[in-house]
Amino acid sequence: MKTLRTTLFVIAFVILASQTFRHAYVRWMEPRTSVLDKYNTSTEKQILLAKSLDELVALFDAAHSKVQEYEKSHPEEADKQAYQRSGPYAQLTGDEVALRNSITEWERKSKEIRELWHFWIAGIIAFALGSFLVLTKERWIGMALLILAFTEMIYATSPSFRSMGSQPEFDRLLVHKFVLSVVSLGFLLIAWFSGRRTET
């Protein structure tokens, strides 16, 4: 069991430490500006400056209303296929699509934060049960639960795809993942040193 425990510890430690470093880099050190930023439309700039989902929804409502008003006053353009659109209508529908995509991305990151906490807490429960069983006669069942615990913690805190559009919810997700990765490393070290003490 000692060889297995050592091997699993090294693998889990390397994964957790490397993704913790990555979360820190993406959240606090990665450059987020581009030379193309000066060409952003006013809607793209508003998306990047939005601090809440409510702000994006308000922007979408306004953009959607403009599209509907334009379609009522220019029915001939509203009937055209998307690839034929140009001019003011193309700009209005483009703004609406960009805002819709940004809202969808925000909601996706919010869902990911909820999933992160769900799977990480499941890992903590497995860790507690496994730690208890390792101290009793059921060491292999305890070991299996500890493996499950750290698998859940690693999965939950694994890196996310970069966000396109509004940043605040993506930043919040990164902070949660960074903190939980550090805490998971702490639990891993506790399990390692506790295991060494029980062997001596």
Side-chain angles (χ1 to χ4, degrees), residues 103-151:
I103 289 169
T104 301
E105 182 67 18
W106 189 295
E107 290 175 332
R108 188 179 296 121
K109 294 306 177 196
S110 294
K111 180 182 174 187
E112 199 170 337
I113 290 171
R114 286 192 299 274
E115 288 176 357
L116 161 66
W117 279 99
H118 174 83
F119 288 112
W120 194 83
I121 289 170
I124 287 297
I125 293 168
F127 176 81
L129 290 172
S131 298
F132 173 75
L133 290 172
V134 163
L135 298 174
T136 66
K137 293 179 181 179
E138 304 295 338
R139 297 187 76 193
W140 283 105
I141 296 175
M143 188 67 168
L145 282 168
L146 288 173
I147 292 168
L148 173 64
F150 288 106
T151 301

Side-chain angles (χ1 to χ4, degrees), residues 44-56:
E44 289 169 333
K45 289 174 184 172
Q46 287 176 315
I47 289 171
L48 291 172
L49 293 173
K51 300 295 182 197
S52 70
L53 183 59
D54 289 339
E55 284 184 46
L56 289 174

